[in-house]
Amino acid sequence: MKTHSISRHASTNVLHAFDYAKYVGRPLDCYVVLACDEKGSGKTAAQICQGVRDRYRAWNINASKRYGIECHSPTYVQTIEDPNGDNPHANWITHMPEVLFAEFLRKLPQWLKKEQGRLRLRDVSVQRVNIETDKTLAKYVVKGVDSHFIDYFHLEEFAEDQGVVKGRRTCVSPSIGRTARRDAGFIPKLHRHEWKKDY
C-alpha cells in the first residue's frame, strides 16, 4: 500500500493523542527523527519503525523495573514522510521519563541498526519537547495532511507535500488512541487543557 498524504481521520487521531497524553499525565516529551535505510535494508520505513517500536516496548518494561518506576504502556505518535523520494524518515514523539532518557539515547541507535543492518551518520536525532508548546510540533508532524483539510486543521503555515510512503504512514499507540480516549470519555474541546501534572 502506498499513500500520498495523511488522511483527515489519521491527522485528527495524532492531534488528539497529543492532548490526551497530557490529560493522563504522560505527555509526548521526546521527539525522535529516524532516517530509514529502505534501499540498504530491503524493508520499508514502516517496517523498520515497527521493529524499533517493538524493541522499545520490550526495553520499556525491563528498564522501568530496573529503575523502580511505574511501567506504563508505551505512549507515542509517529508519522512517516519522504518529501524528496529518496530519504524516508519518521517523526516519532514519545513519553520518556527523565530517569530513562539517557539509556534510551544509548539504546535507540542500536535498535535502528539491528532493524536496517547499518547506522549512517545522522540517522538518529533526539530532542526534548516543551509540552507547553507541543501543539506546534503536533501540527508539524501532520504537515503532510491531505490538501483538502489544510484549512480544517489550521495548517496553512505547516502543510507541505511529504511524498509517497509505502506502508503505514501514521501510528498512534493504543494507550492514547481513539479507543482509549473514547473509553475515558475524553472530549478534546472540553479536556485539552486539563493536564494531569504528576510527571
Side-chain angles (χ1 to χ4, degrees), residues 88-195:
H89 56 278
N91 299 298
W92 182 27
I93 309 91
T94 184
H95 173 64
M96 183 57 56
E98 188 61 39
V99 69
L100 301 183
F101 186 60
E103 186 171 325
F104 177 73
L105 289 178
R106 294 195 303 271
K107 293 288 187 178
L108 183 57
Q110 299 172 22
W111 299 335
L112 183 60
K113 184 176 181 179
K114 287 178 180 178
E115 289 303 318
Q116 63 183 23
R118 63 172 177 166
L119 188 69
R120 302 164 298 176
L121 188 64
R122 293 187 292 274
D123 268 358
V124 179
S125 172
V126 183
Q127 59 184 296
R128 278 303 200 180
V129 174
N130 179 353
I131 64 169
E132 301 286 342
T133 58
D134 64 349
K135 289 313 285 284
T136 298
L137 176 60
K139 290 182 176 182
Y140 174 79
V141 300
V142 296
K143 62 185 178 293
V145 66
D146 183 327
S147 59
H148 294 93
F149 301 103
I150 293 173
D151 293 341
Y152 177 83
F153 290 111
H154 307 290
L155 294 175
E156 295 84 355
E157 297 181 11
F158 300 90
E160 189 175 353
D161 178 34
Q162 293 302 304
V164 177
V165 170
K166 293 171 283 187
R168 193 173 185 180
R169 194 176 191 111
T170 67
C171 182
V172 174
S173 66
S175 60
I176 54 173
R178 292 188 184 95
T179 300
R181 299 195 302 266
R182 182 197 64 208
D183 291 349
F186 179 75
I187 302 174
K189 289 183 179 180
L190 296 179
H191 301 136
R192 67 178 52 180
H193 299 298
E194 296 181 15
W195 301 358

Side-chain angles (χ1 to χ4, degrees), residues 50-95:
Q50 177 66 64
V52 170
R53 293 197 309 271
D54 289 345
R55 293 177 186 277
Y56 158 70
R57 185 177 297 107
W59 167 81
N60 179 65
I61 295 171
N62 294 326
S64 296
K65 291 179 180 178
R66 282 189 282 106
Y67 285 92
I69 64 172
E70 184 176 1
C71 181
H72 293 287
S73 298
T75 304
Y76 59 80
V77 303
Q78 188 174 81
T79 64
I80 296 175
E81 51 196 39
D82 189 8
N84 299 320
D86 61 357
N87 182 34
H89 56 278
N91 299 298
W92 182 27
I93 309 91
T94 184
H95 173 64

Side-chain angles (χ1 to χ4, degrees), residues 6-14 145-146 149 152-153 178:
I6 302 175
S7 70
R8 178 174 70 88
H9 291 298
S11 297
T12 298
N13 195 22
V14 170
V145 66
D146 183 327
F149 301 103
Y152 177 83
F153 290 111
R178 292 188 184 95

